[in-house]
Amino acid sequence: MDFKYVPSTCPYCGNGCGVNLVVKDGKFVGISPWHRNPVNEGKVCIRGNKSYEFVNSPDRLVAPLIKKGDKFEEASWEDAYKEIAAAFKSVKGDAIGVVASARNSNEDSFVLKNFAANVLKTANIDYCGRRCNADAVKGLADAFGSGATTNSLADLSEAKAILIVGSNPLEENPLAGRRIIIAKQNGAKIIVADARKTATARLADIHIACNPGTGVALVNGIITAIIKAGKENKDFIAKKTKDFEKAKAAAAACTPDAVAKVAGIDADVVTKAAEMFAAAQPAAVVTSAGAGSGDLIRALANLQLVTGNVGKAGAGVNLLRGKTNAQGAADVGAVPGEGGLTVPAMIEAAAAGKIKALYVVGENIASAGAHVADALGKLDFLVVQDLFMTETAAKANVVLPSASFAERDGTVTNAERRVQRIRKAIEPVGSSKPDWQITSEIAKAMGHEKDFAFKDAEAIFGEIAKTVPAYAGITYAKLERPEAIQWPEAGGVFGTAILYADKFGTKDGKAAFAAVEYKAVEAAAGEFPFAVAAQWPMGTLSKNTSSIMREWPEARVQINADDAKALGVRDGSRVKVTGKAGSLELAADVTKGIKKGVVSMPAAINAAAVKIEKSTGGN
């Protein structure tokens, strides 16, 4: 019997937990703790713990497929490449779009970016997770000089107070949630703003059940209360920041009474939260990249500048990510070039007939709604590279089978900027290949062999280190240790754990306050009486993991028990959820753990307000 452990990185959320892949007789059979990894210290949530199940799924794609009529037929790689090369050569660059993935490796995204620019001659490249990340990243970059989270996840354990807005770490990023639990055990005060009584909210010393979309008003209210009480860090503001008066003036309208009115909370809660946060040093804020507009990120950055909570342990703006390489995809440039289109803009252009061909790598964009599926149906040519026959792949002309994270080498960069290895543990299923290799071979089929003659993933990373300043000095050899490297590498043996300890990354070295005004969100009223608090959706990997599907077999909509009673809806019954953009049917999760007038569900119809009706024939 051949038995081994292969150190790697979990393929799910942006925590980037270290895992040991257990390999028996050439098969990936389980996960073993990797205690030395500083991100999770051997702890793993159900997703990482059961990641071998999707890798071994019988539904994995194992060979290239070419659509003949309305059916797919297996094809050789050579024939698939010929089909793709001929189609791409017939379309002008600005009529081609490329969609990268935040769950693919840095090497995959780097090669794909160069393929888009140098072979397809298009600026239309974007990674799907950036729909959630773009505003957040820009907000941090404008405030501090870099669009990355400021601190290490481990720093949360050292915080004396933590404000959590637009995030539910204990369920969405569980090992970040673990750090919050440790902080709580160490005496930290926890403030959670959420319309739901989530697992995270149940930790809170103050749970602020604010209406969805009112986070900016709440944070501005806390800032205003701190300044009114004279608790701002005057020395830090004077020496290390600029434009404080502009931010102060913009936030001034958010008095406790004004916040209470829009957020549906008591005014004294705002004051209590401000007192608790200002009294603690250090204090951290936690949010998610998909929490909302860049205004929320800028407001949170303002709060940390007001209180001097940047550049030290236990503080900072901690931006949690939904996918394992959301940070890395942005770092290596899988974003629109000058004049290029974002993913939503590509979908609009496809619907209008302006985008003729699309190359989608590792993303199921059709799951975002019927409008995306309809737009894909109008393309002349669609290529999809993935592990499974997703809704997007089903619409493709050519489908190419990707190797999983356990079947390839590479790197991913987690939310705290830690660049970590993924390592090949088993052979790829069927004839599947790493995404960077597939893209390189398409480039060669189109006559660009010289520029894509990469020997392996390590050679590609060498090019990344040469061209991406934040990665300068990082090598695979330096990533062998479980601590790996947090970029920039120059910060020490394991890189830079905390950004801005000396100065900010702006041109003048000072952080910039922003004049952030609260803008009212779409009100829940009239035809659509329920505000929506979005849940994380189930993705391709989870849906192909049997243990997860046994626990959560379908999406559900959370409804307050009193609201459900008024609607005649029982727990588990089917309901029709309708917003301005469409409707869908879900099972009802009737609970007291959500605010009246608010429902929570996956953001499948992209609605701020909806109506709920009993489904025809439902119980």
Side-chain angles (χ1 to χ4, degrees):
M1 180 178 72
D2 181 42
F3 188 86
K4 63 181 178 180
Y5 289 150
V6 180
S8 193
T9 306
C10 177
Y12 279 94
C13 81
N15 284 359
C17 294
V19 291
N20 279 309
L21 312 188
V22 181
V23 180
K24 178 182 177 183
D25 294 332
K27 187 175 181 180
F28 179 17
V29 296
I31 292 291
S32 179
W34 192 10
H35 295 288
R36 270 194 62 195
N37 188 286
V39 177
N40 56 312
E41 298 175 328
K43 281 72 176 177
V44 188
C45 77
I46 186 173
R47 291 174 294 181
N49 196 39
K50 298 298 182 180
S51 57
Y52 63 93
E53 292 183 356
F54 79 77
V55 172
N56 295 323
S57 169
D59 294 327
R60 285 278 304 276
L61 294 170
V62 297
L65 302 172
I66 296 177
K67 188 171 284 181
K68 305 289 187 181
D70 60 354
K71 293 184 179 181
F72 285 110
E73 295 181 5
E74 283 197 9
S76 66
W77 281 102
E78 183 181 10
D79 286 345
Y81 291 150
K82 284 180 180 178
E83 187 99 357
I84 294 166
F88 282 166
K89 285 179 179 179
S90 68
V91 183
K92 291 183 179 179
D94 58 2
I96 301 178
V98 178
V99 178
S101 174
R103 66 175 172 86
N104 281 351
S105 71
N106 290 315
E107 292 80 2
D108 296 329
S109 293
F110 183 78
V111 170
L112 190 63
K113 178 212 47 173
N114 284 290
F115 176 76
N118 301 319
V119 180
L120 299 181
K121 307 294 184 184
T122 182
N124 301 329
I125 178 171
D126 196 12
Y127 69 94
C128 207
R130 215 173 70 90
R131 291 184 302 173
C132 302
N133 287 262
D135 284 347
V137 169
K138 184 179 186 303
L140 285 181
D142 290 346
F144 303 143
S146 170
T149 197
T150 59
N151 287 55
S152 299
L153 290 172
D155 277 0
L156 288 172
S157 306
E158 301 182 41
K160 300 304 180 185
I162 302 174
L163 171 65
I164 304 167
V165 184
S167 183
N168 177 18
L170 265 69
E171 296 176 32
E172 297 169 349
N173 301 85
L175 274 300
R178 171 177 174 261
R179 296 293 182 179
I180 296 169
I181 292 173
I182 294 172
K184 173 84 172 177
Q185 292 171 338
N186 291 339
K189 300 298 183 181
I190 311 297
I191 306 164
V192 176
D194 200 315
R196 304 161 296 170
K197 192 75 170 179
T198 63
T200 306
R202 288 195 290 274
L203 280 180
D205 296 276
I206 299 177
H207 173 213
I208 306 172
C210 54
N211 293 329
T214 60
V216 171
L218 174 64
V219 176
N220 274 356
I222 292 172
I223 291 170
T224 298
I226 288 172
I227 294 171
K228 183 178 180 181
K231 299 296 185 180
E232 72 272 27
N233 190 325
K234 297 179 179 66
D235 186 59
F236 184 93
I237 292 168
K239 292 180 179 179
K240 294 195 172 185
T241 75
K242 59 186 177 184
D243 299 331
F244 168 65
E245 292 299 329
K246 292 179 181 178
K248 177 182 174 181
C254 292
T255 63
D257 286 338
V259 175
K261 184 177 180 180
V262 299
I265 58 177
D266 293 333
D268 64 347
V269 172
V270 180
T271 304
K272 289 177 181 176
E275 291 172 349
M276 184 178 286
F277 194 82
Q281 283 290 335
V285 298
V286 174
T287 190
S288 293
S293 70
D295 284 350
L296 177 59
I297 303 301
R298 291 309 305 266
L300 289 169
N302 284 348
L303 173 61
Q304 293 303 72
L305 295 176
V306 163
T307 55
N309 275 304
V310 186
K312 57 187 178 183
V317 178
N318 296 275
L319 183 65
L320 304 182
R321 305 299 187 107
K323 293 188 178 181
T324 185
N325 203 34
Q327 182 65 52
D331 292 344
V332 303
V335 297
E338 186 175 351
L341 302 178
T342 62
V343 171
M346 286 186 228
I347 299 305
E348 290 179 12
K354 295 178 181 178
I355 290 285
K356 304 291 186 182
L358 205 58
Y359 181 22
V360 180
V361 180
E363 283 292 350
N364 183 19
I365 57 176
S367 66
H371 68 292
V372 179
D374 291 343
L376 295 179
K378 295 181 180 180
L379 293 168
D380 292 340
F381 196 75
L382 172 63
V383 181
V384 173
Q385 233 164 266
D386 214 321
L387 302 176
F388 297 95
M389 181 57 72
T390 63
E391 294 97 325
T392 307
K395 289 187 167 293
N397 299 88
V398 180
V399 179
L400 304 174
S402 297
S404 75
F405 84 110
E407 300 159 348
R408 50 159 64 186
D409 290 310
T411 60
V412 290
T413 307
N414 76 349
E416 60 176 7
R417 298 168 282 102
R418 194 180 301 272
V419 185
Q420 300 183 103
R421 288 290 312 278
I422 55 173
R423 294 173 174 87
K424 184 177 179 180
I426 58 175
E427 290 302 315
V429 300
S431 66
S432 61
K433 301 179 181 183
D435 288 296
W436 68 261
Q437 183 179 342
I438 298 171
T439 302
S440 296
E441 288 172 355
I442 295 173
K444 293 172 187 175
M446 295 180 70
H448 292 261
E449 184 169 355
K450 182 180 178 181
D451 294 332
F452 290 84
F454 299 111
K455 177 185 176 183
D456 52 26
E458 186 172 5
I460 300 168
F461 191 84
E463 293 301 311
I464 293 173
K466 290 178 186 176
T467 57
V468 179
Y471 288 63
I474 304 177
T475 64
Y476 269 30
K478 291 181 179 180
L479 300 179
E480 281 303 306
R481 293 167 294 189
E483 295 84 0
I485 297 285
Q486 286 175 276
W487 67 251
E489 183 262 354
V493 65
F494 300 126
T496 307
I498 302 168
L499 295 178
Y500 320 124
D502 298 318
K503 64 179 181 178
F504 289 93
T506 55
K507 288 183 179 179
D508 60 6
K510 290 189 173 186
F513 277 97
V516 181
E517 297 180 357
Y518 169 66
K519 302 177 185 69
V521 296
E522 179 185 345
E527 183 182 0
F528 304 109
F530 293 99
V532 176
Q535 300 172 12
W536 273 18
M538 293 279 279
T540 301
L541 304 187
S542 295
K543 288 178 180 177
N544 286 280
T545 301
S546 56
S547 294
I548 292 176
M549 294 308 293
R550 280 195 298 270
E551 293 282 342
W552 297 279
E554 62 177 344
R556 297 171 74 93
V557 55
Q558 285 188 334
I559 306 172
N560 175 274
D562 291 337
D563 290 332
K565 185 176 180 180
L567 292 165
V569 171
R570 297 179 182 178
D571 187 55
S573 62
R574 307 295 296 182
V575 295
K576 184 179 180 182
V577 184
T578 304
K580 291 181 179 178
S583 64
L584 71 162
E585 285 197 3
L586 295 169
D589 181 5
V590 177
T591 175
K592 293 182 179 179
I594 192 167
K595 188 174 183 176
K596 283 186 68 174
V598 178
V599 298
S600 181
M601 63 181 190
I605 58 174
N606 194 28
V610 297
K611 65 179 177 181
I612 305 287
E613 304 166 280
K614 284 201 295 184
S615 205
T616 304
N619 60 0

PDB file of all heavy atoms in Angstrom, residues 586-606:
ATOM      1  N   LEU A 586     -38.531  28.745  -3.632  1.00  0.00           N
ATOM      2  CA  LEU A 586     -37.616  28.251  -2.619  1.00  0.00           C
ATOM      3  C   LEU A 586     -38.412  27.634  -1.479  1.00  0.00           C
ATOM      4  O   LEU A 586     -39.601  27.920  -1.309  1.00  0.00           O
ATOM      5  CB  LEU A 586     -36.758  29.399  -2.060  1.00  0.00           C
ATOM      6  CG  LEU A 586     -35.782  30.100  -3.001  1.00  0.00           C
ATOM      7  CD1 LEU A 586     -35.231  31.355  -2.341  1.00  0.00           C
ATOM      8  CD2 LEU A 586     -34.638  29.173  -3.374  1.00  0.00           C
ATOM      9  N   ALA A 587     -37.741  26.827  -0.684  1.00  0.00           N
ATOM     10  CA  ALA A 587     -38.349  26.337   0.551  1.00  0.00           C
ATOM     11  C   ALA A 587     -38.224  27.412   1.618  1.00  0.00           C
ATOM     12  O   ALA A 587     -37.217  28.124   1.692  1.00  0.00           O
ATOM     13  CB  ALA A 587     -37.650  25.061   0.999  1.00  0.00           C
ATOM     14  N   ALA A 588     -39.254  27.541   2.444  1.00  0.00           N
ATOM     15  CA  ALA A 588     -39.253  28.543   3.498  1.00  0.00           C
ATOM     16  C   ALA A 588     -38.555  28.012   4.740  1.00  0.00           C
ATOM     17  O   ALA A 588     -38.803  26.885   5.176  1.00  0.00           O
ATOM     18  CB  ALA A 588     -40.676  28.949   3.839  1.00  0.00           C
ATOM     19  N   ASP A 589     -37.685  28.824   5.314  1.00  0.00           N
ATOM     20  CA  ASP A 589     -37.038  28.530   6.592  1.00  0.00           C
ATOM     21  C   ASP A 589     -37.613  29.530   7.595  1.00  0.00           C
ATOM     22  O   ASP A 589     -37.157  30.662   7.690  1.00  0.00           O
ATOM     23  CB  ASP A 589     -35.530  28.687   6.455  1.00  0.00           C
ATOM     24  CG  ASP A 589     -34.781  28.369   7.735  1.00  0.00           C
ATOM     25  OD1 ASP A 589     -35.429  27.928   8.702  1.00  0.00           O
ATOM     26  OD2 ASP A 589     -33.556  28.570   7.766  1.00  0.00           O
ATOM     27  N   VAL A 590     -38.657  29.133   8.286  1.00  0.00           N
ATOM     28  CA  VAL A 590     -39.360  30.027   9.210  1.00  0.00           C
ATOM     29  C   VAL A 590     -38.594  30.075  10.528  1.00  0.00           C
ATOM     30  O   VAL A 590     -38.307  29.036  11.141  1.00  0.00           O
ATOM     31  CB  VAL A 590     -40.810  29.555   9.439  1.00  0.00           C
ATOM     32  CG1 VAL A 590     -41.516  30.447  10.449  1.00  0.00           C
ATOM     33  CG2 VAL A 590     -41.563  29.561   8.110  1.00  0.00           C
ATOM     34  N   THR A 591     -38.233  31.283  10.968  1.00  0.00           N
ATOM     35  CA  THR A 591     -37.344  31.428  12.109  1.00  0.00           C
ATOM     36  C   THR A 591     -37.611  32.727  12.853  1.00  0.00           C
ATOM     37  O   THR A 591     -38.103  33.701  12.282  1.00  0.00           O
ATOM     38  CB  THR A 591     -35.873  31.402  11.637  1.00  0.00           C
ATOM     39  OG1 THR A 591     -35.013  31.658  12.745  1.00  0.00           O
ATOM     40  CG2 THR A 591     -35.617  32.454  10.574  1.00  0.00           C
ATOM     41  N   LYS A 592     -37.262  32.746  14.124  1.00  0.00           N
ATOM     42  CA  LYS A 592     -37.287  33.983  14.904  1.00  0.00           C
ATOM     43  C   LYS A 592     -35.945  34.711  14.809  1.00  0.00           C
ATOM     44  O   LYS A 592     -35.804  35.807  15.356  1.00  0.00           O
ATOM     45  CB  LYS A 592     -37.601  33.668  16.365  1.00  0.00           C
ATOM     46  CG  LYS A 592     -39.026  33.135  16.585  1.00  0.00           C
ATOM     47  CD  LYS A 592     -39.292  32.878  18.068  1.00  0.00           C
ATOM     48  CE  LYS A 592     -40.727  32.366  18.263  1.00  0.00           C
ATOM     49  NZ  LYS A 592     -41.014  32.084  19.698  1.00  0.00           N
ATOM     50  N   GLY A 593     -35.004  34.104  14.094  1.00  0.00           N
ATOM     51  CA  GLY A 593     -33.662  34.655  14.016  1.00  0.00           C
ATOM     52  C   GLY A 593     -33.445  35.619  12.872  1.00  0.00           C
ATOM     53  O   GLY A 593     -32.320  35.749  12.375  1.00  0.00           O
ATOM     54  N   ILE A 594     -34.495  36.280  12.425  1.00  0.00           N
ATOM     55  CA  ILE A 594     -34.360  37.322  11.410  1.00  0.00           C
ATOM     56  C   ILE A 594     -35.376  38.419  11.707  1.00  0.00           C
ATOM     57  O   ILE A 594     -36.469  38.144  12.229  1.00  0.00           O
ATOM     58  CB  ILE A 594     -34.550  36.761   9.978  1.00  0.00           C
ATOM     59  CG1 ILE A 594     -34.122  37.790   8.923  1.00  0.00           C
ATOM     60  CG2 ILE A 594     -35.986  36.294   9.740  1.00  0.00           C
ATOM     61  CD1 ILE A 594     -33.993  37.210   7.519  1.00  0.00           C
ATOM     62  N   LYS A 595     -35.013  39.611  11.405  1.00  0.00           N
ATOM     63  CA  LYS A 595     -35.846  40.773  11.698  1.00  0.00           C
ATOM     64  C   LYS A 595     -37.142  40.743  10.897  1.00  0.00           C
ATOM     65  O   LYS A 595     -37.153  40.295   9.737  1.00  0.00           O
ATOM     66  CB  LYS A 595     -35.040  42.036  11.355  1.00  0.00           C
ATOM     67  CG  LYS A 595     -35.652  43.348  11.761  1.00  0.00           C
ATOM     68  CD  LYS A 595     -34.670  44.460  11.479  1.00  0.00           C
ATOM     69  CE  LYS A 595     -35.224  45.796  11.952  1.00  0.00           C
ATOM     70  NZ  LYS A 595     -34.241  46.881  11.765  1.00  0.00           N
ATOM     71  N   LYS A 596     -38.223  41.204  11.503  1.00  0.00           N
ATOM     72  CA  LYS A 596     -39.488  41.317  10.770  1.00  0.00           C
ATOM     73  C   LYS A 596     -39.297  42.259   9.580  1.00  0.00           C
ATOM     74  O   LYS A 596     -38.598  43.260   9.659  1.00  0.00           O
ATOM     75  CB  LYS A 596     -40.597  41.854  11.677  1.00  0.00           C
ATOM     76  CG  LYS A 596     -41.169  40.839  12.640  1.00  0.00           C
ATOM     77  CD  LYS A 596     -42.360  41.398  13.406  1.00  0.00           C
ATOM     78  CE  LYS A 596     -43.559  41.628  12.484  1.00  0.00           C
ATOM     79  NZ  LYS A 596     -44.772  42.042  13.219  1.00  0.00           N
ATOM     80  N   GLY A 597     -39.930  41.892   8.457  1.00  0.00           N
ATOM     81  CA  GLY A 597     -39.822  42.720   7.264  1.00  0.00           C
ATOM     82  C   GLY A 597     -38.596  42.460   6.428  1.00  0.00           C
ATOM     83  O   GLY A 597     -38.371  43.113   5.412  1.00  0.00           O
ATOM     84  N   VAL A 598     -37.770  41.487   6.852  1.00  0.00           N
ATOM     85  CA  VAL A 598     -36.545  41.139   6.123  1.00  0.00           C
ATOM     86  C   VAL A 598     -36.572  39.647   5.811  1.00  0.00           C
ATOM     87  O   VAL A 598     -37.006  38.839   6.632  1.00  0.00           O
ATOM     88  CB  VAL A 598     -35.285  41.465   6.959  1.00  0.00           C
ATOM     89  CG1 VAL A 598     -34.013  41.059   6.210  1.00  0.00           C
ATOM     90  CG2 VAL A 598     -35.237  42.953   7.304  1.00  0.00           C
ATOM     91  N   VAL A 599     -36.135  39.277   4.617  1.00  0.00           N
ATOM     92  CA  VAL A 599     -35.934  37.878   4.265  1.00  0.00           C
ATOM     93  C   VAL A 599     -34.485  37.701   3.838  1.00  0.00           C
ATOM     94  O   VAL A 599     -33.831  38.650   3.402  1.00  0.00           O
ATOM     95  CB  VAL A 599     -36.879  37.399   3.140  1.00  0.00           C
ATOM     96  CG1 VAL A 599     -38.332  37.505   3.581  1.00  0.00           C
ATOM     97  CG2 VAL A 599     -36.656  38.181   1.849  1.00  0.00           C
ATOM     98  N   SER A 600     -33.977  36.486   3.978  1.00  0.00           N
ATOM     99  CA  SER A 600     -32.598  36.201   3.595  1.00  0.00           C
ATOM    100  C   SER A 600     -32.571  35.016   2.650  1.00  0.00           C
ATOM    101  O   SER A 600     -33.196  33.981   2.920  1.00  0.00           O
ATOM    102  CB  SER A 600     -31.754  35.891   4.832  1.00  0.00           C
ATOM    103  OG  SER A 600     -30.416  35.638   4.470  1.00  0.00           O
ATOM    104  N   MET A 601     -31.851  35.183   1.532  1.00  0.00           N
ATOM    105  CA  MET A 601     -31.793  34.122   0.522  1.00  0.00           C
ATOM    106  C   MET A 601     -30.584  34.352  -0.373  1.00  0.00           C
ATOM    107  O   MET A 601     -30.009  35.444  -0.382  1.00  0.00           O
ATOM    108  CB  MET A 601     -33.069  34.145  -0.327  1.00  0.00           C
ATOM    109  CG  MET A 601     -33.244  35.419  -1.111  1.00  0.00           C
ATOM    110  SD  MET A 601     -34.761  35.421  -2.084  1.00  0.00           S
ATOM    111  CE  MET A 601     -34.500  36.894  -3.080  1.00  0.00           C
ATOM    112  N   PRO A 602     -30.172  33.329  -1.131  1.00  0.00           N
ATOM    113  CA  PRO A 602     -29.112  33.543  -2.121  1.00  0.00           C
ATOM    114  C   PRO A 602     -29.533  34.612  -3.120  1.00  0.00           C
ATOM    115  O   PRO A 602     -30.710  34.695  -3.498  1.00  0.00           O
ATOM    116  CB  PRO A 602     -28.972  32.174  -2.796  1.00  0.00           C
ATOM    117  CG  PRO A 602     -29.507  31.208  -1.798  1.00  0.00           C
ATOM    118  CD  PRO A 602     -30.607  31.928  -1.083  1.00  0.00           C
ATOM    119  N   ALA A 603     -28.586  35.419  -3.544  1.00  0.00           N
ATOM    120  CA  ALA A 603     -28.901  36.578  -4.376  1.00  0.00           C
ATOM    121  C   ALA A 603     -29.102  36.202  -5.842  1.00  0.00           C
ATOM    122  O   ALA A 603     -28.502  36.774  -6.745  1.00  0.00           O
ATOM    123  CB  ALA A 603     -27.794  37.616  -4.259  1.00  0.00           C
ATOM    124  N   ALA A 604     -29.983  35.249  -6.095  1.00  0.00           N
ATOM    125  CA  ALA A 604     -30.171  34.738  -7.449  1.00  0.00           C
ATOM    126  C   ALA A 604     -30.928  35.702  -8.353  1.00  0.00           C
ATOM    127  O   ALA A 604     -30.760  35.684  -9.571  1.00  0.00           O
ATOM    128  CB  ALA A 604     -30.905  33.398  -7.405  1.00  0.00           C
ATOM    129  N   ILE A 605     -31.821  36.534  -7.767  1.00  0.00           N
ATOM    130  CA  ILE A 605     -32.572  37.461  -8.622  1.00  0.00           C
ATOM    131  C   ILE A 605     -32.145  38.909  -8.392  1.00  0.00           C
ATOM    132  O   ILE A 605     -32.779  39.831  -8.874  1.00  0.00           O
ATOM    133  CB  ILE A 605     -34.099  37.309  -8.421  1.00  0.00           C
ATOM    134  CG1 ILE A 605     -34.486  37.539  -6.955  1.00  0.00           C
ATOM    135  CG2 ILE A 605     -34.560  35.948  -8.900  1.00  0.00           C
ATOM    136  CD1 ILE A 605     -35.987  37.537  -6.733  1.00  0.00           C
ATOM    137  N   ASN A 606     -31.046  39.087  -7.632  1.00  0.00           N
ATOM    138  CA  ASN A 606     -30.414  40.394  -7.493  1.00  0.00           C
ATOM    139  C   ASN A 606     -31.424  41.479  -7.134  1.00  0.00           C
ATOM    140  O   ASN A 606     -31.546  42.491  -7.817  1.00  0.00           O
ATOM    141  CB  ASN A 606     -29.681  40.763  -8.801  1.00  0.00           C
ATOM    142  CG  ASN A 606     -28.742  41.944  -8.591  1.00  0.00           C
ATOM    143  OD1 ASN A 606     -28.244  42.144  -7.494  1.00  0.00           O
ATOM    144  ND2 ASN A 606     -28.504  42.708  -9.642  1.00  0.00           N
TER     145      ASN A 606
END
